[in-house]
Amino acid sequence: MVNIEVVDPRESRKKKCIIITSRKAELRRKKKYIKITPQDDERDAVNVKLRRVTEIQKLVEAIRVILLCSNATPIRKYGSIGYQCNFCDKEHDDPRDLKVHTLSTHKEADKLKFLQKHRGINTLKVKLDATCLRCELCDTPSDDVEQLIDHLTLKHDKSFPSNLKNFIVPFKFETSQTICALCRTEFSNFKILLQHMNVHYRNHVCETCGNGFVNKRILQCHMYRHRTGEFSCSYCAKVFDTRIKQRDHERAIHICDNKRSKCGYCGEKFNDYTKKNEHEIKVHGAKPIVLKCSACEKTFDNQRSLSSHTKRYHLMERPLPKKAD
Ligand SMILES: [Zn+2]
Ligand SMILES: [Zn+2]
Ligand SMILES: [Zn+2]
Ligand SMILES: [Zn+2]
Ligand SMILES: [Zn+2]
Ligand SMILES: [Zn+2]
Ligand SMILES: [Zn+2]
């Protein structure tokens, strides 16, 4: 079957005309859409991005100025042996040895490259050894990082972003004790002190418990512990009401943590944490780990045992999850 449509030529012309005008209107609309609206949006997006890029760049440059103009030294993290150098990964048992190493080995060229591989403002956090802090340009001592920043601004014409101190976590190792540089509280080891330091920062605040954190990533790690629901163990039939409990159970019962049982010096693996410690002491001359309970006389050779002891016998609050350092 064939459909035959009889079309009046005048009608057809009219139709074409309508089609053309509507197409023109559409084009005009498109032009408007393509040429004006998105450009503004794009410009805004680019501006936001640029603002962020320049913000992190300014912060990184300011931290480099502090490293170049003072005897402050960065600490990358507390590794398997000890305090790790930010420039060459070398670890030191005693933070004071790391400071001597950093000041004698890593000069201007290294400092100018500090945080070259930063991962943006959401993960920015500089652990700074501010022991016996002083200005390298005129030898004036400073009590703390803020005073040093004021000094460099007033006496040496340097300029710093006003939010810089929010990203610097200072430490002072004047004695062999691990003491918070901001409130003088003593801690059994550096990792616990590191978790404590968040108490002094409000850059990011947990909506559930009101705790403050240095950067967004640490807050996100922390938020994990508030999630409730049904979390079942991936290895057995047990069910937990929080992910943290599930994770702790899996780690304690089913997963043999490699880091805990691997020698920090030679990499030899042990299926027992105590055996690893014995090996590190015997073969590599490491100092034995002695953690003392602050409420009773008991001592422990690892943080996990001390924590569970404290939780069980002294009903104190558990420390924050290990990830959120
Ligand atoms: Zn180094
Ligand atoms: Zn000075
Ligand atoms: Zn403190
Ligand atoms: Zn919270
Ligand atoms: Zn299980
Ligand atoms: Zn070894
Ligand atoms: Zn105790």
Side-chain angles (χ1 to χ4, degrees):
M1 231 169 69
V2 181
N3 276 324
I4 299 167
E5 217 185 325
V6 184
V7 180
D8 179 345
R10 275 166 302 170
E11 272 295 318
S12 162
R13 224 173 288 135
K14 251 190 219 163
K15 258 189 192 164
K16 256 189 195 162
C17 217
I18 290 164
I19 289 168
I20 287 164
T21 37
S22 70
R23 212 178 260 161
K24 268 187 185 165
E26 200 192 0
L27 260 174
R28 234 179 287 133
R29 267 203 308 276
K30 262 193 185 161
K31 262 187 191 168
K32 225 180 175 183
Y33 185 73
I34 294 165
K35 282 204 173 153
I36 302 157
T37 331
Q39 257 209 350
D40 281 354
D41 280 357
E42 259 169 43
R43 213 178 298 141
D44 279 351
V46 168
N47 278 345
V48 168
K49 226 179 177 180
L50 262 174
R51 230 177 291 138
R52 274 186 156 176
V53 168
T54 41
E55 191 184 7
I56 178 83
Q57 219 77 60
K58 274 184 187 161
L59 288 164
V60 166
E61 269 156 33
I63 295 160
R64 287 175 187 164
V65 169
I66 289 181
L67 295 183
L68 288 162
C69 300
S70 77
N71 63 342
T73 48
I75 303 165
R76 175 171 287 146
K77 62 171 186 182
Y78 192 87
S80 49
I81 298 171
Y83 300 83
Q84 191 178 58
C85 174
N86 224 302
F87 302 105
C88 72
D89 296 350
K90 213 171 166 207
E91 288 181 27
H92 296 265
D93 200 37
D94 190 322
R96 289 167 290 187
D97 291 341
L98 171 63
K99 194 166 187 75
V100 170
H101 157 84
T102 310
L103 289 173
S104 61
T105 320
H106 304 292
K107 305 289 184 191
E108 202 180 310
D110 287 340
K111 289 176 183 176
L112 284 168
K113 282 187 223 151
F114 183 66
L115 284 182
Q116 212 170 29
K117 289 178 192 159
H118 68 78
R119 279 168 294 150
I121 206 152
N122 287 344
T123 57
L124 185 65
K125 172 182 169 186
V126 178
K127 298 185 270 295
L128 208 61
D129 182 342
T131 315
C132 305
L133 197 62
R134 60 160 210 279
C135 170
E136 286 287 346
L137 304 173
C138 70
D139 232 21
T140 305
S142 289
D143 289 340
D144 50 45
V145 177
E146 271 179 67
Q147 207 183 73
L148 175 74
I149 289 174
D150 286 346
H151 169 84
L152 291 172
T153 310
L154 292 168
K155 300 278 153 133
H156 304 290
D157 270 342
K158 308 282 178 198
S159 62
F160 299 94
S162 56
N163 60 344
L164 176 65
K165 62 177 193 304
N166 298 347
F167 298 94
I168 296 178
V169 183
F171 297 96
K172 282 185 183 176
F173 304 102
E174 281 144 2
T175 62
S176 55
Q177 290 158 305
T178 315
I179 293 171
C180 171
L182 299 175
C183 72
R184 314 302 296 168
T185 309
E186 193 189 339
F187 294 89
S188 58
N189 65 48
F190 186 68
K191 285 194 175 174
I192 305 281
L193 169 61
L194 214 48
Q195 287 163 4
H196 157 81
M197 290 315 285
N198 283 304
V199 165
H200 299 292
Y201 294 81
R202 310 284 302 164
N203 301 349
H204 295 274
V205 176
C206 171
E207 282 180 3
T208 312
C209 69
N211 281 337
F213 298 91
V214 181
N215 64 43
K216 204 170 172 181
R217 196 189 68 96
I218 305 172
L219 169 65
Q220 281 164 348
C221 279
H222 161 85
M223 294 294 286
Y224 203 61
R225 67 177 349 209
H226 292 307
R227 259 187 258 163
T228 53
E230 281 202 358
F231 302 97
S232 43
C233 172
S234 343
Y235 305 89
C236 72
K238 281 201 168 158
V239 178
F240 304 88
D241 63 350
T242 69
R243 245 194 212 296
I244 289 292
K245 284 183 195 162
Q246 177 219 356
R247 201 186 65 187
D248 283 353
H249 160 84
E250 284 183 358
R251 281 193 182 164
I253 310 295
H254 307 289
I255 303 167
C256 180
D257 196 333
N258 286 329
K259 255 192 206 152
R260 292 184 71 228
S261 50
K262 199 167 138 190
C263 170
Y265 298 87
C266 70
E268 192 180 330
K269 282 181 185 168
F270 299 86
N271 43 21
D272 187 308
Y273 182 73
T274 318
K275 283 208 182 100
K276 183 209 81 163
N277 278 347
E278 279 171 13
H279 161 89
E280 285 186 343
I281 294 160
K282 252 192 197 165
V283 179
H284 306 287
K287 272 188 223 142
I289 301 161
V290 181
L291 300 172
K292 221 181 137 277
C293 172
S294 53
C296 72
E297 288 301 300
K298 265 189 108 88
T299 56
F300 302 88
D301 68 351
N302 67 80
Q303 190 56 47
R304 194 171 296 196
S305 307
L306 173 61
S307 300
S308 60
H309 161 84
T310 321
K311 195 180 140 205
R312 195 159 166 197
Y313 294 98
H314 308 294
L315 293 166
M316 278 169 66
E317 204 199 324
R318 288 173 54 211
L320 294 172
K322 277 195 173 167
K323 260 191 178 170
D325 67 348

